[in-house]
Amino acid sequence: MEHLELFFKSIFIDNMVFATFLGMCSYLAVSKKVSTAVGLGAAVIFVLAVTVPLNWLLDQYILRDGALAWLGPEYADYDLSFLSFILFIATIATMVQLVEIVVEKFSPSLYNSLGIFLPLIAVNCAILGGSLFMQSRDIQTLGLATTYGIGSGIGWFLAILAIAAIREKIRYSNVPAPLRGLGITFIITGLMAIGFMSFGGMLTGGDEEEETTPVAEVTPVKEMTQEASDELVLTTNEKE
Amino acid sequence: MGLLSKKDQKLILDPLADDNPITIQVLGICSALAITAQLKASIVMSISVIFVLGVGNVVISLMRNIIPSKIRIIVQLVVVATLVIIVDQVLKAYAYSLSKELSVFVGLIITNCIIMGRFEAFALGNGPWRSFLDGIGNALGYGVILIIVGFFRELFGSGTLLGFKVLGDPIEKTGLYATGYENNGFMLLSPMALIVVGLIIWVQRSRNKALIEEN
């Protein structure tokens, strides 16, 4: 159940593209045709599914505070978490290279469809972002980390597939000249993100966990002032 | 600008408008959108990117003749990651609450396409001084967009700029709020960042017809 919840949460609610804007560069650059978008999307799912669990292991047994305790009691005090950026990106870059070699060797047809995208992926923010979010959200088990990786990959895949389909169609529409290409893609993505926001309360109906994004921090303030101003209106009405 | 030749000036000034990394080259969008709900976060992010790109470009340009081209991506990633760790540790030490707010996005400077893009396109083929100028110029172009987006989102979203209540107090109903003005909380939500950038692109391209795309 926990897995299922995390899976759907990472696809829809915390969608990589629409909720956190990760991987926007390749999302905008490679979404002109559906077929290439599918190739890149599949490669992202694959690489996320491999690197998130790997980085989870790294984080759990090497990086976090006290993680080195398995080496012996004298190592229990080390906190290497400042090294996480460099280790995560190194893992990702090596994994991508390794995957490329393995796929080329064993499945040339898959290599032909994925191959050109794999080097692009090493510097895709969605991949590093997946690992960093996995670390900052404190995901508990290896299984959950794998689920999170696959789920966010599928979320990214859905997003790039949808925008590529829309962009193929929009070629036949009469878009105002200065908005053509990049501008209209931004605005469509914004509208799609508004649509995806409606998944927000879907799973538990009131997931009270605090998100770390600035957006979530700011909105309660707004609601509070709204309530406060309502109260103010009430009190003034009572006075009258 | 007496120090710089015409060509060097172009390196700094071009990315600010006609060759802007975000609106024209489509690089480094992710962080531009995610952290612009407040002006302060945008400014800190821009300064971090200026530092990383300026220094990184010089380092890569100094090493450009000894990096084997097959493993250059990994070398570049290591250089960026080191610089980003410095930025992250400095932020944690001197601006802890802000670094919590930026959360993973400081780390994501590593995979910010502007950095890798400029390394590949410029620093690998040019000397340190020109690479430095190119880095600073592109990071400034990125910062300008970030600050514009952050300005509008914070102003319309929460009625403040850098935390100061420039439009009056929404609870006390002073300033503009006395006339019945309300904050548009929607500006603080993430989709509006995309739409604001879309509008910036619209304005920029209708002022400069040469930038309009084909299809």
Side-chain angles (χ1 to χ4, degrees):
Chain A
M1 197 54 215
E2 209 183 352
H3 284 84
L4 204 65
E5 191 174 318
L6 184 69
F7 183 67
F8 282 110
K9 192 165 184 247
S10 50
I11 294 182
F12 293 110
I13 303 174
D14 290 331
N15 187 290
M16 279 274 176
V17 174
F18 297 129
T20 49
F21 303 121
L22 295 181
M24 281 302 272
C25 307
S26 26
Y27 168 86
L28 291 169
V30 194
S31 61
K32 279 188 181 137
K33 274 173 66 188
V34 171
S35 54
T36 43
V38 169
L40 183 68
V44 166
I45 298 182
F46 187 66
V47 175
L48 264 175
V50 176
T51 56
V52 172
L54 260 179
N55 282 335
W56 185 85
L57 288 173
L58 266 181
D59 184 45
Q60 206 71 12
Y61 293 106
I62 295 180
L63 294 171
R64 65 170 52 199
D65 197 3
L68 285 173
W70 57 272
L71 274 178
E74 68 270 30
Y75 293 101
D77 291 339
Y78 286 93
D79 179 6
L80 296 181
S81 51
F82 67 94
L83 284 178
S84 42
F85 294 156
I86 206 163
L87 271 185
F88 283 179
I89 198 72
T91 317
I92 290 168
T94 355
M95 270 317 296
V96 168
Q97 202 87 102
L98 207 69
V99 165
E100 198 181 344
I101 295 168
V102 171
V103 170
E104 190 180 12
K105 176 94 177 134
F106 290 105
S107 169
S109 64
L110 185 66
Y111 180 77
N112 284 336
S113 53
L114 289 189
I116 44 168
F117 299 116
L118 282 170
L120 260 181
I121 279 180
V123 287
N124 186 332
C125 359
I127 311 289
L128 182 63
S131 292
L132 290 176
F133 271 124
M134 175 273 298
Q135 191 189 32
S136 74
R137 285 178 188 164
D138 220 9
I139 284 178
Q140 293 301 329
T141 66
L142 184 61
L144 281 176
T146 318
T147 315
Y148 180 72
I150 297 175
S152 351
I154 294 178
W156 201 89
F157 176 83
L158 274 183
I160 195 168
L161 190 61
I163 194 75
I166 293 177
R167 282 182 83 172
E168 274 196 1
K169 289 283 173 203
I170 214 161
R171 203 166 299 153
Y172 307 108
S173 328
N174 189 11
V175 179
L179 266 179
R180 269 176 213 157
L182 191 58
I184 196 73
T185 316
F186 265 101
I187 290 176
I188 291 171
T189 313
L191 296 176
M192 283 160 77
I194 294 174
F196 264 69
M197 275 169 60
S198 59
F199 288 114
M202 186 177 69
L203 272 182
T204 50
D207 202 359
E208 294 303 321
E209 113 187 78
E210 276 292 312
E211 297 290 339
T212 44
T213 51
V215 175
E217 274 166 27
V218 176
T219 30
V221 179
K222 155 78 182 165
E223 281 164 18
M224 211 176 65
T225 54
Q226 191 68 47
E227 279 166 25
S229 60
D230 285 351
E231 272 173 30
L232 204 77
V233 173
L234 277 179
T235 47
T236 46
N237 284 349
E238 277 165 18
K239 273 177 199 159
E240 283 164 5
Chain B
M1 284 295 204
L3 276 173
L4 304 171
S5 66
K6 264 256 154 54
K7 240 168 130 187
D8 289 349
Q9 280 182 32
K10 222 170 121 60
L11 281 178
I12 289 209
L13 296 180
D14 260 9
L16 289 182
D18 290 348
D19 195 22
N20 190 288
I22 292 183
T23 60
I24 311 296
Q25 305 175 37
V26 207
L27 296 174
I29 315 277
C30 332
S31 50
L33 299 167
I35 49 95
T36 47
Q38 280 154 337
L39 187 53
K40 199 172 161 196
S42 324
I43 293 175
V44 170
M45 192 70 180
S46 320
I47 295 172
S48 314
V49 171
I50 291 173
F51 168 75
V52 173
L53 192 50
V55 178
N57 248 359
V58 172
V59 173
I60 291 291
S61 152
L62 287 174
M63 299 200 303
R64 69 185 187 280
N65 294 325
I66 51 170
I67 302 176
S69 71
K70 274 196 173 164
I71 58 158
R72 65 177 194 283
I73 302 247
I74 294 186
V75 174
Q76 289 165 2
L77 284 174
V78 171
V79 171
V80 193
T82 318
L83 291 169
V84 170
I85 289 175
I86 296 175
V87 168
D88 186 47
Q89 296 293 318
V90 168
L91 278 182
K92 273 189 184 145
Y94 294 103
Y96 189 71
S97 61
L98 204 62
S99 93
K100 275 278 155 240
E101 207 168 283
L102 292 173
S103 70
V104 300
F105 290 99
V106 177
L108 287 174
I109 298 178
I110 299 174
T111 47
N112 193 320
C113 337
I114 292 188
I115 313 247
M116 299 300 283
R118 292 330 291 176
F119 283 3
E120 284 281 305
F122 202 90
L124 280 175
N126 288 282
W129 172 239
R130 300 196 64 211
S131 301
F132 177 72
L133 293 178
D134 178 79
I136 298 287
N138 275 285
L140 279 176
Y142 168 85
V144 165
I145 300 290
L146 240 70
I147 287 168
I148 295 175
V149 178
F151 176 84
F152 283 113
R153 283 182 74 191
E154 189 175 349
L155 183 66
F156 293 125
S158 36
T160 56
L161 282 179
L162 292 171
F164 295 108
K165 295 177 175 140
V166 288
L167 297 182
D169 196 317
I171 301 172
E172 309 267 325
K173 298 275 177 218
T174 56
L176 195 56
Y177 295 99
T179 63
Y181 173 82
E182 287 284 344
N183 283 331
N184 181 1
F186 202 54
M187 289 296 281
L188 295 176
L189 299 176
S190 35
M192 281 313 287
L194 284 160
I195 294 178
V196 172
V197 176
L199 295 178
I200 292 176
I201 293 174
W202 192 358
V203 171
Q204 191 187 12
R205 294 192 181 181
S206 43
R207 289 171 61 93
N208 187 349
K209 302 277 184 223
L211 300 174
I212 292 174
E213 284 177 50
E214 278 297 306
N215 70 70

